[in-house]
Amino acid sequence: MRLRGKTLGIVGFGRIGQAVAKKANAFGLRVLAADPVVSSATVESLGATSVDLATLLRESDFVSLHAPLTQETRNLIGLNEMSLMKPEAFLINAARGPLIDENALYKALTDGTIAGAGLDVMVDNVPAQDHPLLSLDNVIITPHVAFFSQESTLELEQRAAAEVVSVMHGRMPDNLVNAAVLDHPNPRHKLK
């Protein structure tokens, strides 16, 4: 199908969602974004429109998930959410498997609620060989490597090294995972 003129809904408009929006704009897609923590001004500055999740699901031809996995986002997309989508819509998950209720997805894909899905992640990193989604013709599943290129691997290595350098120079890393380390009594752990 032709992409120009279609609507891409991006759920989670952080760094990766924003990069997807830039690419989508180049293909002539209308871009909607749903993210409770990103301002409408930021969304609009990237050529997208900020909407709530229900509006995004109703209006999108493609729904692409880029949200973090939290208690609030676990099973963010279930049968109710998929029932809002167009029957010709596709659901894409390149973030975290548990954002989607996989049982609901199987039902939606087999009863025609949505047209198809592209999953770069699943609830289990290595799904059972008899997982029902693996039997469907309207789903593409990759093992969380859809990003892969030599350049992207090099970029990941360089970003990790830059974080180490920041900490070694007493600066706060951009992507701190364990905030408890900031309370450590050792003064070398006090970051700016």
Side-chain angles (χ1 to χ4, degrees):
M1 78 176 69
R2 172 180 282 188
L3 291 178
R4 183 169 297 285
K6 299 285 191 223
T7 300
L8 170 67
I10 300 173
V11 179
F13 208 68
R15 183 178 51 83
I16 295 171
Q18 291 175 22
V20 171
K22 290 175 188 175
K23 290 173 176 58
N25 286 325
F27 283 101
L29 286 145
R30 171 182 172 231
V31 179
L32 302 177
D35 191 315
V37 298
V38 175
S39 72
S40 294
T42 298
V43 171
E44 291 167 11
S45 74
L46 291 158
T49 303
S50 184
V51 296
D52 61 48
L53 181 60
T55 301
L56 182 145
L57 294 170
R58 277 193 303 273
E59 295 185 16
S60 298
D61 299 294
F62 308 95
V63 173
S64 189
L65 304 180
H66 302 282
L69 179 61
T70 65
Q71 282 304 109
E72 294 78 29
T73 62
R74 183 173 298 278
N75 290 325
L76 178 68
I77 307 296
L79 202 51
N80 288 337
E81 290 74 23
M82 286 180 250
S83 70
L84 296 174
M85 295 172 66
K86 300 175 183 179
E88 64 273 13
F90 292 86
L91 179 60
I92 302 160
N93 190 1
R96 297 290 177 254
L99 295 176
I100 297 176
D101 176 338
E102 289 180 353
N103 292 326
L105 177 60
Y106 179 81
K107 181 174 181 354
L109 290 169
T110 55
D111 70 12
T113 300
I114 63 173
L119 306 175
D120 191 40
V121 290
M122 293 182 68
V123 171
D124 293 320
N125 287 335
V126 181
Q129 288 184 355
D130 62 347
H131 193 294
L133 289 172
L134 297 176
S135 68
L136 300 179
D137 291 335
N138 57 347
V139 64
I140 296 172
I141 301 172
T142 57
H144 205 39
V145 294
F147 78 97
F148 182 77
S149 68
Q150 289 180 334
E151 294 85 359
S152 63
T153 301
L154 178 60
E155 179 184 347
L156 287 174
E157 292 166 353
Q158 290 171 334
R159 288 177 54 207
E163 294 285 73
V164 171
V165 169
S166 287
V167 170
M168 294 303 291
H169 284 98
R171 294 188 305 267
M172 181 70 68
D174 288 335
N175 298 293
L176 181 64
V177 175
N178 182 5
V181 73
L182 298 176
D183 297 326
H184 194 282
N186 186 333
R188 291 185 314 158
H189 293 259
K190 300 300 178 196
L191 303 175
K192 302 174 207 155

